[in-house]
């Protein structure tokens, strides 16, 4: 099973029409999914969501051949703090070679979406058979929000 990537609006009360990239990862999935599931313990809490500090990791969004591509980069120092071996991930961020790409996901998307796509990416950890709508409406399932890459 690989991570599921969706594009959904309605995740922000401040901007209800904003579209968000939403990743769903399985806690016992690929090494990248397992690393993503561990990130929640290294985030700070606020407004029924968790936030990863941008100095530890981020999500890189791009459009390629009719698809939205999200690559999650986590600094190797943060991976070691999570007891995840950075050497398990051979791809590195083009923006920062100290950040390993732990997960890449794609979904079909209209390039015009880029004008209303939020910079943040939401990540939920759930079993593969849990529908996204159930995660979005659950009061118990909090997303981890990943900011865009830091400015270089």
């Amino acid at each position: 099973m690989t991570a599921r990537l969706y594009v959904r609006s309605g995740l922000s009360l401040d901007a209800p029409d904003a579209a968000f990239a939403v990743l769903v990862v399985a806690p016992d999935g690929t090494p990248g999914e397992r690393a993503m599931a561990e990130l929640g313990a290294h985030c700070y809490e606020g407004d029924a969501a968790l936030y990863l500090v941008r100095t530890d990791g981020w999500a890189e969004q791009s459009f390629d051949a009719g698809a939205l591509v999200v690559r999650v980069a986590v600094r190797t120092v943060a991976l070691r703090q999570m007891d995840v071996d950075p050497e398990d991930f051979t791809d590195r961020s083009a923006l920062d070679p100290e950040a390993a790409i732990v997960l890449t996901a794609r979904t079909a998307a209209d390039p015009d979406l880029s004008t209303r796509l939020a910079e943040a990416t939401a990540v939920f950890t759930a079993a593969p058979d849990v529908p996204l709508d159930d995660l979005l409406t659950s009061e118990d399932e909090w997303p981890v929000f990943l900011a865009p890459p830091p400015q270089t």
Side-chain angles (χ1 to χ4, degrees):
M1 184 74 181
T2 59
R4 299 175 282 161
L5 178 60
Y6 303 90
V7 177
R8 286 294 175 93
S9 58
L11 270 70
S12 171
L13 296 175
D14 296 334
D17 293 333
F20 281 83
V22 180
L23 277 168
V24 180
V25 299
D28 58 352
T30 67
E33 288 181 282
R34 292 191 306 270
M36 292 297 304
E38 291 292 321
L39 278 179
H42 298 275
C43 294
Y44 65 92
E45 188 179 313
D47 300 328
L50 302 171
Y51 298 89
L52 182 66
V53 176
R54 195 182 311 200
T55 55
D56 288 344
W58 57 85
E60 301 172 2
Q61 300 175 355
S62 62
F63 287 89
D64 179 42
L68 169 64
V69 180
V70 173
R71 294 167 42 104
V72 177
V74 180
R75 290 227 164 94
T76 54
V77 169
L79 288 171
R80 285 187 191 98
Q81 289 173 344
M82 298 175 355
D83 291 325
V84 174
D85 186 354
E87 299 306 315
D88 289 345
F89 305 100
T90 56
D91 290 343
R92 293 290 181 258
S93 169
L95 302 170
D96 182 347
E98 288 299 313
I101 300 297
V102 299
L103 191 83
T104 300
R106 313 171 60 90
T107 191
D110 185 335
D112 292 336
L113 174 68
S114 66
T115 61
R116 61 183 191 90
L117 187 65
E119 290 183 338
T121 298
V123 181
F124 287 93
T125 301
D129 60 340
V130 176
L132 177 61
D133 289 336
D134 290 353
L135 295 170
L136 294 175
T137 57
S138 171
E139 292 181 17
D140 297 326
E141 299 296 332
W142 287 12
V144 170
F145 279 100
L146 304 176
Q151 300 297 323
T152 54

